[in-house]
Amino acid sequence: LPPGTHMATLYHPTASQLNAHEGGISCVAWGHGLVVTGSADEAVHSYAVSGAKIERRHTLTGHELGVTAVAVAADVAVAASAALDSRIRVWNLDTGSLNLEIDCGPMSYGVALSPDGATVAAGSMGGISLWDAASGSKTASLSIGSDRIVLCAAISADGALLAAGAEDGGVHVFEMEAPYQRVAKMEAHAVAVRCVAFSRDGKTVLSGSEDSRAVLWEAASGRQLYTLQGHGSWVLGAAFSADGSHVVTCSSDQTVRNWDLTTGASVQTLADSHSDQAWGVAFDPSGGRFCSVGDDRAIRVFEATVAGGE
C-alpha cells in the first residue's frame, strides 16, 4: 500500500449458533470468555466460543417475561439481566447461579453493570436507578429532567461515567459518584435512542436511534463528532472495538455494519448476518472478534482481518 494509506479492519464470519433460544434474541454481552444472551423466551444463556464452535455453558431461568437487556461486569464474573417482568436478576457466571433478584418497578429496560460488579444501573421512566448488586437496595436515582422512558444504559470501562438513552431522542451522561452530576445532554435524535455504548477509554459515546442513524459524541462535552448514516431502519445495537478505531452497529434492517472512526465511513456491511431484525452486538473484550444476535434466534461470530480502507 502507498505510504499514508489507511488500513480498515474488516471482518469475516467464523461461527454460528442457530436456534440459540426458543424466541428472538433481544440482547447480548461478552465477557469472561462467555457470550451472554437474553431472549423473548424469558431465558438468559451463556456460551463459550472457540474457533467455529459455540457451546452453551449455562441456562439462567427465572424471568417471567421477555428479557430486554443483559450486561457483564468487566472485572468480575457477574452478569445482570432486565426483563419485562420488572425484575433485574444478577448472576454468577462461574456457577450459573442467581446472586440476587431486584424488584425494580415498571418500565425497566436497559441495564448496565459497574466494572467491579457492585452497582447495577437500570433505565426507568424519567431516569436511571442505581442498585447495590449485593444487597439489592437502591442507592441513587438520576433524573433526565422529563418523564420519558430511558431505554438503554452503559457505564464506562473505568466506572466513572454513565450514559442513558431515552425515548425522546436524548442522550444523557452522568458522573457515577455522588452527587451524580449530569455532565452532558445530547440531542441529535428526534426519536427514541435504542442503544448507547462507551469507547474503552470512556472519552466517546455512541448512540443508535430509531431514526436509522448512529451518532458519535464526546462524552465530557456532548460535542457531536460523527453521524453514521447507512442503515435502512432502526439502529438497535452498537459496540466499540477494543482499540476504539471502529464500531459495529446492527439494525432492524437485518444487517450489521462496521464503521471506521478515523473517517466516520461505513467500511463493511455484513448483509447476510441475520434473516430478521438484528438486536445486539458485542465485542470480545480481548479484541479481534465480535458477535451479533437477532430475532432469527441466531448468534453470529465474526473475526477480524485487515484490508485497505475504502
Side-chain angles (χ1 to χ4, degrees), residues 212-233:
S212 306
R213 302 180 306 141
V215 178
L216 188 72
W217 308 89
E218 192 173 76
S221 68
R223 181 170 68 92
Q224 186 172 326
L225 302 174
Y226 284 124
T227 298
L228 310 182
Q229 293 184 285
H231 279 298
S233 189

Side-chain angles (χ1 to χ4, degrees), residues 139-182:
T139 57
S141 296
L142 317 183
S143 173
I144 63 170
S146 76
D147 61 356
R148 308 310 293 269
I149 299 169
V150 171
L151 296 173
C152 49
I155 295 174
S156 61
D158 62 3
L161 297 174
L162 179 147
E167 64 172 340
D168 62 359
V171 178
H172 307 260
V173 178
F174 297 89
E175 294 179 344
M176 277 291 286
E177 288 187 353
Y180 304 103
Q181 180 180 349
R182 184 170 66 181

Side-chain angles (χ1 to χ4, degrees), residues 7-33:
M7 301 284 285
T9 302
L10 305 180
Y11 289 86
H12 63 279
T14 57
S16 294
Q17 178 68 48
L18 304 179
N19 301 314
H21 280 265
E22 295 179 3
I25 306 174
S26 53
C27 47
V28 64
W30 199 333
H32 307 283

Side-chain angles (χ1 to χ4, degrees), residues 190-309:
V191 290
V193 175
R194 285 284 173 170
C195 55
V196 288
F198 275 102
S199 59
R200 182 72 67 89
D201 63 10
K203 293 181 179 179
T204 51
V205 177
L206 187 71
S207 58
S209 169
E210 292 178 8
D211 63 10
S212 306
R213 302 180 306 141
V215 178
L216 188 72
W217 308 89
E218 192 173 76
S221 68
R223 181 170 68 92
Q224 186 172 326
L225 302 174
Y226 284 124
T227 298
L228 310 182
Q229 293 184 285
H231 279 298
S233 189
W234 297 6
V235 178
L236 297 172
F240 279 85
S241 64
D243 65 3
S245 67
H246 55 286
V247 296
V248 293
T249 57
C250 63
S251 169
S252 52
D253 68 7
Q254 304 180 16
T255 70
V256 175
R257 281 184 177 260
N258 172 19
W259 308 83
D260 187 332
L261 295 185
T262 304
T263 62
S266 174
V267 295
Q268 187 179 24
T269 302
L270 299 158
D272 299 323
S273 307
H274 294 278
S275 59
D276 207 330
Q277 297 184 102
W279 274 97
V281 286
F283 270 95
D284 181 347
S286 62
R289 58 184 181 171
F290 75 90
C291 65
S292 62
V293 299
D295 270 343
D296 60 1
R297 301 183 290 159
I299 301 170
R300 307 287 188 186
V301 178
F302 303 87
E303 292 195 7
T305 54
V306 177

